[in-house]
Structures are given as C-alpha cells and as structure tokens.
Amino acid sequence: MWQDIKLLNATANTLLGALLLVLLASGVWWLAQRPMFTLKVIHVEGIADVQLLHVNALTIKATALPRIKGNFFTANLNTVRQAFEAVPWVRRASVRREWPNRLVVKLEEHEPLGTWGDEGRLLSVAGDVFTANLAEAEENGQLPEFNGPAGSEKEVVARFAELQAWFVPVNLAPESLTLSSRYAWSVKLNNGMTVELGREQTRTTLQERVARLIGIYPQLVARLQDRIDSVDLRYPNGMALKASGLVSGALKSGAPRKK
C-alpha cells in the first residue's frame, strides 16, 4: 500500500476533504451562535394586512413565545407556526425569517359565526370549531346558537346561510339552528318561533317547506299575532301549529304524516 502513490494521494485527499468539511461545519456552527443572530424581534401581523381584532401581545407572550427555541438559524419554523396556531383566535399562521435576527409571523383569525354545542365552543364562518373567550366574541351582540353531530359543522354553516336568505321575504332571521343525530333540521327564528323542518329527502325538500310557511305566514300573523310558538313542517300536505291559546293548528289537508 505504501508503495502505491496514487492510493496514498487519494487517501490523503479524502482525509483533507473530510478535515475541511469538519472545519467548515465548525465555522458555520460558531458563526450561527453569534449574538447578532439571537432572535430579537418577532413581528406579528394579519394575513393580507388584515387587522388583528382578538390576538394581542399578552396572549402571544403567554401561549406562543415560551415554545419558541433557537436563534435565526436554528429556530424550527414549523414549531414556531404550531406555537402561534395554539394561540386563542388563531386559525392559521405562516412564518418566515428576516435577516439577521427577525421572524415575521402572519396570522389569520377565526371569524366567529355563533356558538357550537353546550361546551362553550365557537363556530367560525368557515365551519371551524374553536375555543375562545365567549364574552369577547359577543362584544357586538349575542351570537346565534348551533348544534349538530361531529363533522357536520360546515354543513350547518351552509344551511344557516340558506335559511337566512329564505326567510328574508317575511323579515325573519334564524337565531339558532340544530341538526339532530337523525339529521333532522330545526331552526329558531328571531321572533321566538321554532320551525321543525325535518330531514332533507331531496335537494329542495327544506326550501319547499320553508316556502310553504312563507306563503301562509302573513295569514298566520293576522290571525294569531305574535302567539306562534312553533310550526311543524314535517308533513307533505300542510303544517301543524303550536301557539299560545291554541292546542294545535288546523292547517293540514288529507291525512298527513310526518317526514
């Protein structure tokens, strides 16, 4: 081996290359640890320059900052993102480095639509369930109430938007919406009236049932004033009423059955 000059040169070159790599890595590590790269600023702003309404320095300091480790080079951006997404009201976060000692974090907040279930959780306009301060969410007024099986949140949000449009002709608006475990719909309106819509048998079932109520609603108001407690639309040919002083309505034809 010692007489093989080519092999000796190749071995020497390999060892020299390895030594240079070690020295380079050591130099990079030494440089990366310099105080100038210590994270000094974490700039937080809304995505697309949208103003943040609920996320503040106090919640960030309490929830996100304790989970951020390392400096400009060594901080794990995925870990930083997850730390900010754990902050109340944050729906989504993105993080990037900014030379030489800054992180820029962009946040998207949840926009509350209403409450979800009986555990104090909130439902966003995007159909996400999240936990935040209810009093803070209701600063501008009481939120609608929603209930439904797990996984039905986005369906409930979509149905709520449809019901809002369907009840416009009679100046009514839904203030709570429930989807039962049997996937039957029930909506409470802002006049206190509960409307049982039942299950959706076709794509137009619920809209047709609401249209039936809209068509006769002016007559109901004229006859019963504001005494209507509930309307059951789960009939193919009519509806049943429950009102103060009225045991059951007579607005049915034939021998209807509930659906």
Side-chain angles (χ1 to χ4, degrees):
M1 171 181 177
W2 301 112
Q3 286 78 28
D4 191 335
I5 302 301
K6 290 184 178 181
L7 180 58
L8 287 173
N9 288 337
T11 303
N13 289 336
T14 300
L15 292 174
L16 180 60
L19 178 60
L20 289 175
L21 286 176
V22 170
L23 291 174
L24 179 61
S26 298
V28 170
W29 180 87
W30 178 86
L31 181 63
Q33 304 307 312
R34 295 309 86 202
M36 67 176 293
F37 298 118
T38 299
L39 290 175
K40 295 181 179 179
V41 177
I42 299 179
H43 178 72
V44 179
E45 60 186 36
I47 287 179
D49 296 323
V50 175
Q51 182 181 0
L52 297 174
L53 300 178
H54 302 287
V55 177
N56 54 55
L58 184 62
T59 56
I60 289 174
K61 184 177 181 180
T63 308
L65 295 189
R67 299 174 57 183
I68 298 175
K69 310 296 181 184
N71 62 16
F72 178 81
F73 290 106
T74 61
N76 186 307
L77 295 190
N78 188 53
T79 299
V80 175
R81 177 186 60 79
Q82 293 175 350
F84 275 91
E85 289 181 348
V87 174
W89 288 102
V90 174
R91 180 175 186 246
R92 184 174 56 189
S94 64
V95 185
R96 64 179 174 85
R97 307 179 206 269
E98 190 171 274
W99 183 266
N101 52 22
R102 288 165 54 99
L103 294 179
V104 176
V105 182
K106 291 183 177 289
L107 302 179
E108 178 186 354
E109 289 184 317
H110 289 289
E111 183 180 346
L113 177 64
T115 61
W116 180 263
D118 301 320
E119 299 176 0
R121 295 179 297 171
L122 295 167
L123 180 68
S124 76
V125 296
D128 299 319
V129 174
F130 65 103
T131 301
N133 189 317
L134 178 58
E136 190 176 353
E138 294 188 325
E139 285 180 344
N140 298 320
Q142 187 171 354
L143 294 173
E145 299 176 359
F146 299 95
N147 285 278
S152 68
E153 296 87 356
K154 287 180 171 54
E155 183 180 0
V156 170
V157 169
R159 179 68 67 211
F160 182 73
E162 291 176 335
L163 289 165
Q164 285 180 308
W166 294 344
F167 279 103
V168 165
V170 288
N171 297 316
L172 294 176
E175 63 177 23
S176 82
L177 180 61
T178 297
L179 179 61
S180 74
S181 59
R182 299 180 68 247
Y183 282 81
W185 294 92
S186 176
V187 58
K188 184 177 180 181
L189 302 174
N190 58 342
N191 65 348
M193 181 173 67
T194 298
V195 181
E196 299 292 344
L197 294 169
R199 285 177 287 183
E200 187 174 13
Q201 299 168 343
T202 69
R203 293 180 59 185
T204 61
T205 299
L206 301 187
Q207 187 174 9
E208 290 170 355
R209 290 177 178 178
V210 171
R212 189 194 317 158
L213 174 60
I214 298 300
I216 199 173
Y217 186 73
Q219 300 175 45
L220 296 179
V221 173
R223 289 175 55 186
L224 302 172
Q225 302 301 320
D226 296 325
R227 295 181 297 158
I228 306 173
D229 297 320
S230 65
V231 178
D232 192 340
L233 296 172
R234 296 173 295 176
Y235 298 91
N237 302 312
M239 63 187 72
L241 297 178
K242 186 176 181 181
S244 301
L246 181 68
V247 177
S248 62
L251 300 172
K252 298 183 265 184
S253 60
R257 295 178 299 169
K258 292 183 181 180
K259 297 293 184 180

